[in-house]
Each structure stands twice: as C-alpha cells, then as structure tokens.
C-alpha cells in the first residue's frame, strides 16, 4: 500500500493499537560518519540545489513554484498562496540551516520544479523535549507528479537533517499517511460572507437569505477587552512566560524560548499578527492571541483572484475569557479586511468555535512525527502545536 512509507521509521498501520511497543524513538541515531555523504540520485535531467532564501531572485522562484503547484482543496477551487515575506519568515527562524531549503531544477533550463524545506524546532512530547525538523512546503510541479520524486526529496531532506545530528521531525499533511499522531478539523468563520459565497467558498445556509447571512456574521467596529493591544518588542519576555506556562498542558507542543517568541510571534506586517491584554491596573500581560496571513488563489473566478484568510496561531487566556479574546481577534481580522478566519480544533479551540459562528470545513489536517512513536492517537485538543 505505502511502498515508501513502509520503509521509514514512522508508526505503521499494522502496529496501531499495539500498546506493547514503547513510546519514543523508533530507531537510534547512527554515528554521523555513517550518514550518507552524497545526495540521493535524481533522474538524470534534474539536479539538487540549496535555495538561498536571502536572495530575492531565489525567493521569487520558490514563490512562483508554490503559487502555481502547491496545496489545493479537494475540488481544486483554491490554492494556498504564501507570500514571499511569509516564506522568508517561515524558513529563517533562529538557528535555521540553509542546507534544509532544498530545490530541484531541470539541468538544461534551470527551471525550479520541486521544493522541500525543514526548519529546526524544539518540540516537547509529554515530558521529553526533542530537537526536531519541521518539514513543510513539499511541492512537485504538476507535470512531474506520480513519478516517485517525493520519496527522493523526503530521503534527501532526512539525510541533511541527520547531518546536523537531528533524528526526528514533525509535519502535517492533508493526506493520510502512516500514521497520524492526531487528525484535526478545519473550521471557518466568515468575515466577508458575500464574497465567500460569490467565489464558492461557502453556500447560503438552509432557510437563510444573503441579508440575514450578512447580519449573522456582523462584528463590532472595535475590540471590547480593556487593555487589548498589539504585541510590541518589549513584551517578548512576558509573552514567552505566558505561552510556556500555557503550552505545558498539551501532550505535543513547541518548547519556545524568547528568541523563538521574538521570531514567531512579534507582529510582522501581512505575515503574523499578535495581540495581548495588558491589565490596565497592574500592567501584567494576562492574555494573548495571534493569527497568520495565508491567502489562497481563487482558481477560475471572473471577479476575484484572492481569498484573504487569517489562520489562528497561538492563543492564551488566563483572565479574559478565551471566547471574548477570540472575538476580539475576529474584530481585528475584519478591520484588516480578511475574508475568513480559519482555525483547527487544536488546544482549547473547541471552546469557542461554535459559539463564535465558525463552521466545519471540508478539509482535515493530519499531524505526524518521524522516528517517534506514541502509544495512542491523540485528540486534537491534546495538540499544542500549529505548523504553518
Ligand atoms: S504537506 C504539503 C504537501 N504538498 C502538496 O500537497 C502540494 C501539492 N502536491 C504535490 O506537490 C505532490 O503531490 C507531492 C507528492 C509532492 C505532495 N507528505 O512523487 P510521488 C507520498 C508525505 O509519486 P507526487 C508537507 O509539505 C505518497 O504517499 N508523503 O507523488 C509536509 C507516496 O508514498 P507511498 C507524501 O504526488 C511534507 C509517495 O509520496 C505526501 O508526485 C512532509 C508518492 O510520491 C505528503 N504530503 O508528489 C514530508 N504526498 O507509496 C515527510 C504524497 O509510501 C517528511 N506522499 O504511499 C518526513 C520527515 C523527513 C525529515 C526526517 C528528519 C529526521
Ligand atoms: O478551505 C477549505 N475548505 C473550504 C472551501 C471548500 C471549497 C470546496 N472544496 C470550506 N468552506 C466552507 C466554509 C463554511 C463557512 C461558513 C460556515 C460553514 C463552513 O470548507 C479546506 C479546509 O476546510 N481547505 C483545504 O482543503 C486546503 C487543504 C487542507 C490541507 C492542508 C495541507 C497542509 C500542508 C501542510 O503544510
């Protein structure tokens, strides 16, 4: 069934439910001298490149490949359209390795036809903090699909991760592979219902008219939580403490330090937005919410070419109710002209999704670990990790 994945150190379907197998690494690290020193072989017409994401030209090539060939919904109506600024941010966190930004070119034309990336991250699984690679942006040009290029790309990124003495990875996918540690549901909150209907993202509900729908999704013009404001650089230590303390409760979560919080959560225009609540009395930072900007191209619509989507990222409430905090996030997203606010049912998100008028989408997201076994599939609410 899975000719490639059956050969890899990942949880296998045949072992699901076998609780005699221990939790933790599936295979031990090998001495670095035993890691293959040369790249894997590609079909003869192609060559490996390391993509210098500092270079504007390279960033543009990657952007163009993903814009035309990356993830689509099941009816091919929308395609993720990560911006260049977003890619620059997503691929250069603290301690990133240039060698983990891997492209495949046609030797003759030099055209970029495939891509895969890793970035380093410390991820806690139960009580153990594991240094991992987060693998993302695996993409093969539409004309080169089903030629078994993806397994070669995955083996090559694995080799380059091993060369840094890192032996584990985390990744998400819309497809089922051996074997998910958890499966999450996408939820969507309409901000611009008229446009969402016009482009086929949503449909008029039963016994609903357009004007009733618009009224249903109306939001106030300003946020309601006293002390709610944009995160600033001087907030990094307080936000790190708040977030670290919050993420303790989940089975799988990132182990963020101040450098990580500075990189991943300080607001970056059109990339990531973060807000917090500073107590008007004590000036303590008590609550936090964030979302990232990931538009989708609208395929074949006469009137619109992009869907502006915000994706819920990390949220923490200790004082303001999470429901109110997320309603404020919806208000700022609406003011920033997003069409839709998306969220997974991870962490405590189920406590606000229905009440804030999110509806379940037709997409699921499966979470995976490479070379790390868990005894049981996790509930989405046990996940404290959001990948981009
Ligand atoms: S998820 C986003 C993936 N990208 C897209 O969906 C974009 C549009 N699609 C494409 O570009 C292609 O369809 C891709 C497959 C490139 C996805 N993850 O070359 P093939 C297996 C893992 O003939 P193609 C993201 O970026 C498939 O089951 N494996 O197929 C995270 C089959 O294996 P098996 C996948 O369609 C990526 C084999 O590939 C995926 O031309 C995490 C077929 O290869 C997928 N999304 O190309 C990667 N899709 O026969 C793993 C298909 O066994 C990282 N396949 O079933 C693992 C950790 C590595 C680091 C370890 C460090 C220690
Ligand atoms: O966006 C998604 N689905 C939308 C559009 C569906 C279009 C037809 N297929 C959707 N819309 C309904 C919204 C509605 C709003 C009012 C309330 C009720 C709901 O369901 C889906 C997620 O649901 N997105 C995708 O399918 C994109 C791919 C998801 C897998 C991602 C893989 C990630 C890669 C890892 O890095």
């Amino acid at each position: 069934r899975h000719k490639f994945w059956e050969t890899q150190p990942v949880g296998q379907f045949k072992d699901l439910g076998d609780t005699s197998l221990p939790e933790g690494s599936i295979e031990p690290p090998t001495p670095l001298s035993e890691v293959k020193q040369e790249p894997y072989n590609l079909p003869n017409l192609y060559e490996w490149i390391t993509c210098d994401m500092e270079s504007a030209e390279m960033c543009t090539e990657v952007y163009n490949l993903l814009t035309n060939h990356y993830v689509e919904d099941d009816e091919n109506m929308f395609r993720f359209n990560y911006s260049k600024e977003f890619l620059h941010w997503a691929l250069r966190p603290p301690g990133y390795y240039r060698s983990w930004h891997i492209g495949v070119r046609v030797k003759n034309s030099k055209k970029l036809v495939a891509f895969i990336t890793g970035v380093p991250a410390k991820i806690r699984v139960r009580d153990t903090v594991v240094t991992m690679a987060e693998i993302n942006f695996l993409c093969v040009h539409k004309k080169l699909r089903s030629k078994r290029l993806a397994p070669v790309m995955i083996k090559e990124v694995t080799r380059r991760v091993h060369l840094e003495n890192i032996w584990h990875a985390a990744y998400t996918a819309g497809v089922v592979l051996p074997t998910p540690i958890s499966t999450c549901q996408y939820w969507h909150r309409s901000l611009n219902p008229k446009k969402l209907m016009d482009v086929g993202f949503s449909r008029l509900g039963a016994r609903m008219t357009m004007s009733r729908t618009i009224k249903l999704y109306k939001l106030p013009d300003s946020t309601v939580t006293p002390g709610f404001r944009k995160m600033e650089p001087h907030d990094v230590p307080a936000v790190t403490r708040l977030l670290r303390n919050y993420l303790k409760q989940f089975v799988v979560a990132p182990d963020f330090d101040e450098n990580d919080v500075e990189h991943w959560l300080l607001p970056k225009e059109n990339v990531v937005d973060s807000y917090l609540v500073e107590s008007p009395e004590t000036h303590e930072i008590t609550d936090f919410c964030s979302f990232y900007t990931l538009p989708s191209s609208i395929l074949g619509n006469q009137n619109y070419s992009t869907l502006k989507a915000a994706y819920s990222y990390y949220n923490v409430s200790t004082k303001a109710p999470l429901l109110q905090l997320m309603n404020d996030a919806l208000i700022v997203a609406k003011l920033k002209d997003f069409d839709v606010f998306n969220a997974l049912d991870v962490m405590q998100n189920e406590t606000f999704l229905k009440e804030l008028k999110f509806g379940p989408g037709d997409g699921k997201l499966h979470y995976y670990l490479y070379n790390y076994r868990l005894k049981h599939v996790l509930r989405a609410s046990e996940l404290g990790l959001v990948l981009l």
Side-chain angles (χ1 to χ4, degrees), residues 169-180:
Y171 50 104
T172 55
V175 294
V176 178
L177 304 166
T179 57

Side-chain angles (χ1 to χ4, degrees), residues 70-71 73-75 78 136 172 174 186 188 201 359-363 365:
Y70 200 49
V71 176
D73 67 296
D74 62 350
E75 290 168 286
F78 306 97
N136 204 346
T172 55
Y186 277 102
H188 308 281
F201 187 91
D362 61 5
L365 187 65

Side-chain angles (χ1 to χ4, degrees), residues 188-203:
H188 308 281
R189 203 312 181 164
S190 301
L191 301 175
N192 188 355
K194 171 81 169 59
K195 174 171 168 184
L196 294 182
M197 308 237 186
D198 287 348
V199 303
F201 187 91
S202 62
R203 286 194 264 179

Side-chain angles (χ1 to χ4, degrees), residues 7 30 46 58 78 108 147 173 178 184 186 204 209 253 299 350 354 368:
T7 69
T30 54
Y46 306 99
M58 192 67 243
F78 306 97
N108 283 334
K147 298 177 185 297
C184 301
Y186 277 102
L204 216 47
T209 61
L299 308 176
E350 273 176 324
K354 283 183 180 158
Y368 301 94

Side-chain angles (χ1 to χ4, degrees), residues 58-71:
M58 192 67 243
C59 215
T60 300
E61 283 186 73
V62 168
Y63 170 80
N64 288 335
L65 175 73
L66 296 178
T67 295
N68 294 307
H69 303 279
Y70 200 49
V71 176

